[in-house]
Amino acid sequence: MSEDSDRAHELDLESTEFVADEDSDPVKNRTELTCKPDLVPQGKPRWKDAIPQVLASCVVHSIVVQAGVSMAYLAVLLPQLADPDSISTATKDQSSWIASLVIIGTLIGSLVTGPLMAQLGCRTTCQLSCVPLVVAWVVVCLAQSVGVLYVGRLLAGVSGGLSTVALVYVSEVSNPKICPMLLCLNSVFVSFGILLTCVLAQWFFWRGMAIWFGVLAAMSFQALWFLPESPHWLATYREEEGGSIEAAVR
């Protein structure tokens, strides 16, 4: 009798565990699967799975191009402002401020990137970084005084600080096997921004270049609409949106 009662007790425990598993929250299971890399298949992705990740990385890194542009643009702007025949001229002290305000703006943008990323998501923060950038280039293009240039360069720096979210987005949407390669695209696109600035400087004045760079920032903003939000962010901060998580993973 004792053995029979023990066996019946074990069967009851197994039945209880089975019912508990059936009643478990599917959204919670998806969250655990997304947030624990060891539970996600880590094998080498197939080409048809890797190509969308590569394209998404290129699109999101388009905002990083502006970091290279901001660095190289000074080499075009400051000599032309020093020209006595220029519409707007700047002294050495003013030129120093024009160069330094970009760094100050970058610090501000970097500090607010974390809270914005947690609240809005990586993709939305990438789009948000394009807004001050477009405004910055419009301000620079229309500037008639050095003080207005200060504002434009400060906004460009803020956008540059916000653009660091691109690295986070790529790391969260890419397969671990190709993630290091995709993260290296950051340096490639920064270098492309420097190259693009030097090429445009052969044909355009600094105001004309500002127009081109503003258009480029607007195009990046539009292209980011086609990217999905990070599955990791959706699973962490939007657990109730189960369908959105599955769509982003696909």
Side-chain angles (χ1 to χ4, degrees), residues 7-193:
R7 179 59 179 171
H9 181 65
E10 291 176 0
L11 291 175
D12 290 339
L13 290 177
E14 292 176 358
S15 176
T16 302
E17 292 175 356
F18 179 77
V19 172
D21 290 338
E22 287 184 337
D23 295 337
S24 60
D25 187 359
V27 174
K28 182 179 179 181
N29 291 339
R30 280 194 297 269
T31 303
E32 293 176 351
L33 178 62
T34 307
C35 297
K36 295 181 179 180
D38 56 313
L39 296 180
V40 179
Q42 305 292 307
K44 186 176 181 181
R46 295 172 297 180
W47 273 109
K48 68 176 184 178
D49 298 325
I51 289 177
Q53 298 176 30
V54 173
L55 294 177
S57 299
C58 290
V59 171
V60 78
H61 273 124
S62 65
I63 65 175
V64 183
V65 172
Q66 299 285 346
V69 168
S70 295
M71 290 187 289
Y73 188 70
L74 289 174
V76 179
L77 174 63
L78 296 183
Q80 293 182 4
L81 289 179
D83 188 352
D85 296 330
S86 175
I87 297 177
S88 299
T89 58
T91 64
K92 289 185 178 180
D93 289 340
Q94 291 172 332
S95 297
S96 177
W97 273 108
I98 291 174
S100 301
L101 283 172
V102 177
I103 308 301
I104 297 174
T106 301
L107 175 62
I108 297 172
S110 300
L111 290 176
V112 301
T113 297
L116 288 176
M117 185 172 55
Q119 185 68 28
L120 303 176
C122 293
R123 189 203 65 179
T124 305
T125 306
C126 287
Q127 287 184 297
L128 184 63
S129 71
C130 297
V131 176
L133 191 57
V134 173
V135 176
W137 289 122
V138 171
V139 169
V140 169
C141 180
L142 300 178
Q144 296 295 327
S145 66
V146 175
V148 178
L149 284 176
Y150 287 165
V151 176
R153 297 300 289 166
L154 181 64
L155 289 174
V158 172
S159 177
L162 290 172
S163 68
T164 55
V165 71
L167 293 171
V168 181
Y169 181 85
V170 172
S171 65
E172 291 184 355
V173 303
S174 58
N175 186 285
K177 294 294 183 180
I178 62 174
C179 183
M181 178 190 69
L182 297 181
L183 290 175
C184 289
L185 290 175
N186 183 78
S187 299
V188 174
F189 278 80
V190 171
S191 300
F192 175 74

